Amino acid sequence: MAKKLWTAGMAAALAVSMAACSSGNNEGNASPAESSGGSSAPASGSASASATATATASEKPLDKVTFSFFSGVAGEKDLNTNETTIGKALEDQTGVNFKIEHLVGDLNTKIGTMIASNQYPDVLIPDAAIEEVLKAGAFIPIDNLIEQYGPNIKRVYGPYFERMRADYGGKIYFLPLGPQVGEFSADPNINQGAFWVQRRVLKEAGYPKIKKLDDYVKLVEDFVAKHPEENLTGMLTLTNDWRFFATSNPPMHLAGYPNDGNVMVDIATNEAKTYAGSENEKRWLKTLNDLNAKGLLDKSSFVDNYDQYIAKLTSHKVVGFFDYGWQMANAQNVLKDAARKDQSQDDFVYFPLPVTFDGTHDQYLDPPGWTSNRGIGITKSAKDPARIIQFWDNLLKEDNQILKSWGIKGETYEVDDKGRFYRTVEQIDKLDDAFNEKFGFKTFDWDWPQYGTSSTLADGNAVAPGYQPEVFQVGLTEGDKTILDKYGVKTYAELFDTPEDRPWFPAWSIPKEQGSPQQIWETKKDDLQKKYYAKIVLAKPSDFDGAWDSYMKEFSKLDTAGYEKWYTEQIKKIVDVAK
C-alpha cells in the first residue's frame, strides 16, 4: 500500500497518510491521516513534550545514537527525526534519532539492490516488497527482544502475536501498522468509500434519503437535466494507475460488503468469493454504460491522471462520483475552504451517501483491522537492535502516543474539566503543512509502531484527533451543520451502518508471496479490467453484452476457483486463531 497523501485537514482515512493500495491489491483503504491535523494518537492525561522528556531522560541518561531508516514510500521529505519537535522530545527520552530516507524511483529495484548487496538500513519499511525482504532473510526475528525490552509492545500488539507468528512461520519479524487498542471509535467523517454528490443536489431535491444505486443515478440525472445551462458532468470515475480500484471496487460495496480487496467474505460461513467477473461487476459496469449513453459520464475518466481528476472535482461541474474519502480529500478540502470564506460555495461541497444496489445493509465503514502485510522491521545490518526495540516500546507509551498525535497541551490541544481532549479553532487553523512538518505530525503520522486510528485511550479519548467528537464539531462549517441537521445526525458516520467485526479485515493484507498463484491471479485480473473496462463502459448499449462476453471469455481462463479456495482457507485459519 503506497502511503496516502498527508493533508492537515484530513485524517483517517484511513488515509494515506496517504496510503492507498497499489497494484495487485486494489483495495483503496489506507492508513489514516487525521482530520484537523495530527496523526493517529492515543493516551490519557495531558502530555507536555518537555516534561515527559525531562522526567524520562533524568532516570537514565543514554548516549545518543542515530539509526538509518528507509521507508519504501515516495514523496516525503528525507530528514532526521530530531529536526522535529516530536522527534527531539523522543531523542531526549531515549537518546535515539533516526535518519529517514524515502523511496526515489522504483521500489522493487531499490529493495533488490539492498538484497543483492546484503546491506540494509537499520530499520526498514519495505511497503509492498515485504515478502521479498522476508524471503531474503533481511529482517531479524524480534520475539526475544520484545520479551526482554517491550512491555508496551506486548500490551499493544499482544492480542495479535499468534496471528503474526502464524502468518510468518512462527516468528515475529516486523510490527504491522495500527493495531486496535481500547474501544472502537468511528470516524465522524467519511474517509473510506461512499457515493458522493454535490450538496446543492440534495438541497434542491428536499434532502431525500438515498440508499439505492438506481435512486442515486436518478438524482444525478434529474439535476443535470434541470440545469442544462451549466454544462454539467453527471458522473466521472478514477482509473489512473494504481488508483484504478476507485472504478473496480464499487461492486463489492454496492453488494453490501466492506473493503476486503478482491473478495467478498460471507461473515457467517467465512467463504470468500471474488466480485470480478460476477453479476455484481456486470451490474455496476452496465450502470456506467447507461450513464455514458445518456451523455452523463465523463469519457475522459479512462485517460485522465489524478491531478486532472482532482481539478475536475473542484470545478463545480461534477455532480457525483464514487471514491474513498482520503483519496478525494484534496478536492474536498479546497471546496470546504471556499465555503468557509463564502457560505454560498457550500453548495459545491460533496456529501457522502451509503449507496447499495438494493438499499440493503451497507458496509462502507471499515471495521477494526490492520494491514498484516505491511510494517516496520529491524534488519540484519542493524547496529543495536535492542536500542531500536526500546525506542519503539517507549513510543507506545500512552503519553508518547498523545504527543505524536495530539501534540503538546496548551499548544496543539486542550483538556476540559472532564478530561476530554479538544482543539480550538486557532489550534486547528495553525495545523498547516509547514507546521505539521516542523512539529513532526507528518513524520510520525503512520510509519511507526502505534495505536490504530480507530483506537481509544485508557481514559476514553480518541487516539486520532479527527475521531474526537469535540474536534469534529469545531471543524464544521455552517453548511456542515445545516445538512447534518437536515438528515437528523451529528456526524457523517451516523448516515452509515455500524461495521461488523471481521477478524481477518482487511483480507487484502493476508500475505501472498510474489509469484504465487494468488499474486499472479490478481495481476492478470487487474490487467484484464484495465484492458476491458473502457471498452465495456463506452460501448453502445446494444454492444454492451458483446463487450462483457469478450471480457468474460478472457476472465474464465483465470483460476478463480483456486484463488477463492486459497482465500477461504486463509480466512478460516485467522478466525480459528482469533477464537
Side-chain angles (χ1 to χ4, degrees):
M1 174 177 259
K3 196 173 184 185
K4 293 176 187 172
L5 298 174
W6 200 99
T7 61
M10 147 195 151
L14 287 229
V16 177
S17 38
M18 77 83 264
C21 297
S22 124
S23 64
N25 288 328
N26 296 333
E27 326 338 353
N29 57 308
S31 71
E34 328 278 301
S35 282
S36 308
S39 33
S40 12
S44 66
S46 59
S48 159
S50 58
T52 303
T54 302
T56 308
S58 64
E59 293 170 7
K60 185 180 179 183
L62 293 170
D63 293 335
K64 291 188 176 181
V65 62
T66 294
F67 294 109
S68 55
F69 180 127
F70 177 80
S71 175
V73 173
E76 299 293 337
K77 179 182 177 181
D78 293 350
L79 80 171
N80 285 283
T81 53
N82 64 9
E83 297 172 34
T84 69
T85 301
I86 296 172
K88 183 62 173 65
L90 295 172
E91 184 187 44
D92 289 345
Q93 294 173 28
T94 64
V96 173
N97 168 59
F98 290 91
K99 183 177 178 59
I100 302 179
E101 176 192 355
H102 293 89
L103 176 66
V104 176
D106 179 69
L107 175 64
N108 290 328
T109 300
K110 179 68 174 180
I111 297 297
T113 301
M114 292 181 186
I115 293 172
S117 67
N118 203 31
Q119 294 295 317
Y120 302 90
D122 298 300
V123 172
L124 176 62
I125 296 181
D127 200 63
I130 201 162
E131 292 293 333
E132 287 76 7
V133 169
L134 289 167
K135 190 179 293 186
F139 280 155
I140 64 170
I142 56 177
D143 306 66
N144 291 338
L145 290 168
I146 292 172
E147 188 61 35
Q148 192 170 0
Y149 302 111
N152 290 296
I153 295 175
K154 290 166 71 173
R155 173 178 58 84
V156 173
Y157 284 89
Y160 301 92
F161 278 172
E162 284 192 53
R163 177 175 171 187
M164 290 160 68
R165 292 184 174 118
D167 283 345
Y168 295 101
K171 295 285 186 181
I172 298 173
Y173 289 97
F174 64 93
L175 295 181
L177 309 177
Q180 178 70 26
V181 178
E183 296 298 320
F184 175 77
S185 175
D187 183 0
N189 275 298
I190 299 301
N191 281 306
Q192 291 305 309
F195 276 80
W196 302 83
V197 68
Q198 289 181 334
R199 289 179 178 175
R200 61 176 176 158
V201 178
L202 296 169
K203 180 164 56 174
E204 185 174 287
Y207 300 103
K209 290 187 177 180
I210 303 295
K211 297 282 286 185
K212 294 183 180 180
L213 179 62
D214 288 346
D215 293 339
Y216 173 84
V217 171
K218 187 174 187 305
L219 184 76
V220 170
E221 189 173 345
D222 288 349
F223 188 84
V224 173
K226 290 176 183 176
H227 300 272
E229 74 288 351
E230 292 191 48
N231 192 28
L232 297 172
T233 297
M235 286 186 68
L236 53 63
T237 188
L238 177 61
T239 63
N240 181 230
D241 197 31
W242 57 269
R243 301 178 191 273
F244 192 86
F245 59 76
T247 300
S248 60
N249 275 13
M252 159 177 55
H253 296 300
L254 288 166
Y257 288 84
N259 187 3
D260 264 321
N262 285 305
V263 293
M264 303 185 301
V265 184
D266 186 298
I267 200 166
T269 66
N270 303 143
E271 296 290 326
K273 295 291 183 183
T274 181
Y275 51 93
S278 71
E279 284 302 308
N280 289 320
E281 183 181 43
K282 184 177 182 180
R283 189 171 175 181
W284 164 238
L285 294 179
K286 184 64 170 72
T287 298
L288 295 179
N289 178 267
D290 289 342
L291 285 165
N292 179 65
K294 295 174 181 177
L296 293 170
L297 180 73
D298 185 350
K299 291 181 171 64
S300 298
S301 295
F302 291 98
V303 295
D304 281 348
N305 63 30
Y306 179 65
D307 289 341
Q308 291 169 315
Y309 168 79
I310 292 297
K312 287 182 177 180
L313 293 185
T314 58
S315 70
H316 299 176
K317 296 294 185 182
V318 178
V319 177
F321 61 100
F322 169 87
D323 203 353
Y324 295 88
W326 60 263
Q327 183 158 250
M328 54 78 76
N330 289 347
Q332 185 79 323
N333 289 338
V334 169
L335 295 169
K336 282 203 168 190
D337 285 345
R340 288 187 180 94
K341 297 171 185 174
D342 177 358
Q343 194 171 337
S344 68
Q345 297 298 299
D346 185 77
D347 281 349
F348 304 108
V349 175
Y350 290 105
F351 189 82
L353 295 169
V355 173
T356 60
F357 281 128
D358 302 315
T360 52
H361 182 58
D362 72 81
Q363 285 284 280
Y364 283 97
L365 300 183
D366 280 352
W370 67 347
T371 51
S372 60
N373 67 342
R374 299 289 189 277
I376 186 170
I378 301 172
T379 75
K380 61 170 65 173
S381 299
K383 297 183 290 291
D384 192 345
R387 203 64 191 274
I388 296 170
I389 284 288
Q390 288 171 312
F391 179 91
W392 290 352
D393 189 75
N394 183 67
L395 178 60
L396 286 169
K397 292 178 179 178
E398 284 224 331
D399 278 349
N400 283 327
Q401 288 291 293
I402 293 173
L403 172 64
K404 70 167 286 297
S405 300
W406 284 91
I408 298 172
K409 179 183 174 183
E411 182 176 342
T412 57
Y413 79 101
E414 307 293 340
V415 182
D416 68 17
D417 57 5
K418 296 180 180 178
R420 296 293 297 173
F421 293 7
Y422 68 96
R423 278 177 171 157
T424 64
V425 173
E426 293 74 22
Q427 287 169 339
I428 290 173
D429 287 345
K430 79 175 180 181
L431 294 175
D432 58 15
D433 280 347
F435 180 91
N436 290 325
E437 186 172 292
K438 183 65 177 174
F439 193 86
F441 283 140
K442 288 187 74 171
T443 300
F444 287 91
D445 176 36
W446 191 240
D447 289 341
W448 301 88
Q450 65 177 297
Y451 294 12
T453 311
S454 60
S455 299
T456 50
L457 307 178
D459 61 5
N461 282 294
V463 165
Y467 282 43
Q468 187 85 333
E470 291 87 345
V471 175
F472 172 75
Q473 292 296 329
V474 171
L476 293 177
T477 65
E478 288 305 311
D480 288 323
K481 295 174 185 176
T482 296
I483 199 163
L484 288 171
D485 183 63
K486 293 292 184 182
Y487 281 97
V489 296
K490 293 184 178 180
T491 71
Y492 293 103
E494 291 176 49
L495 296 162
F496 292 70
D497 289 335
T498 302
E500 301 164 333
D501 184 36
R502 294 169 176 260
W504 60 84
F505 186 85
W508 58 261
S509 74
I510 295 173
K512 307 176 192 73
E513 290 187 19
Q514 286 295 316
S516 66
Q518 299 77 42
Q519 189 268 328
I520 292 171
W521 183 93
E522 290 179 346
T523 299
K524 290 183 175 180
K525 185 273 301 181
D526 290 348
D527 290 344
L528 280 176
Q529 289 177 327
K530 290 175 181 178
K531 177 181 178 180
Y532 279 97
Y533 265 30
K535 296 178 181 179
I536 295 170
V537 171
L538 302 181
K540 295 178 181 178
S542 59
D543 295 333
F544 175 85
D545 286 337
W548 171 260
D549 290 343
S550 295
Y551 165 65
M552 286 303 297
K553 182 178 179 181
E554 295 299 314
F555 184 84
S556 66
K557 297 176 184 178
L558 304 182
D559 183 16
T560 301
Y563 181 80
E564 294 174 337
K565 180 175 182 291
W566 179 86
Y567 245 121
T568 298
E569 290 171 350
Q570 303 308 307
I571 287 166
K572 289 185 175 180
K573 285 179 186 177
I574 293 170
V575 172
D576 288 341
V577 168
K579 288 179 180 177

